[in-house]
Amino acid sequence: MNSVCLATYNGSLFIERQLASILAQIQIDDEVIVVDDKSTDTTVQIIRGFEDERIKVYLNETNLGHVATFEKAISYSCGRLIF
């Protein structure tokens, strides 16, 4: 299994295309770890709309910034390789 890690924040304009592209390139046993940094737009709803078991979504309770959010995504990953 491999992991693709994403940190998101107010990315509703781009997240659908980004996730669709990632999902098309990974295997059935891979995972996509998304940590959202307290978005105020529809980013999280769009992600959850995929209803793909490979996507695991975590939400920050407060805005932590991109570095800490990406570090959290890496810490949640279980893959042998992390992208």
Side-chain angles (χ1 to χ4, degrees):
M1 175 202 318
N2 297 310
S3 300
V4 177
C5 297
L6 298 173
T8 60
Y9 177 73
N10 290 346
S12 63
L13 294 177
F14 309 103
I15 194 64
E16 187 171 1
R17 279 185 60 194
Q18 184 177 22
L19 274 179
S21 175
I22 291 167
L23 292 171
Q25 297 178 62
I26 64 173
Q27 304 298 317
I28 194 70
D29 63 336
D30 292 337
E31 65 180 1
V32 179
I33 304 296
V34 180
V35 179
D36 185 77
D37 198 21
K38 197 80 171 158
S39 288
T40 58
D41 65 1
T42 59
T43 299
V44 174
Q45 293 89 327
I46 293 168
I47 296 166
R48 288 187 171 149
F50 275 86
E51 296 180 2
D52 189 308
E53 292 183 10
R54 297 175 291 176
I55 301 172
K56 297 174 177 90
V57 182
Y58 301 91
L59 307 177
N60 288 345
E61 292 183 20
T62 60
N63 186 280
L64 301 177
H66 65 279
V67 173
T69 301
F70 190 67
E71 286 175 348
K72 281 180 75 171
I74 292 171
S75 75
Y76 292 137
S77 68
C78 298
R80 183 174 54 89
L81 298 174
I82 300 171
F83 299 92

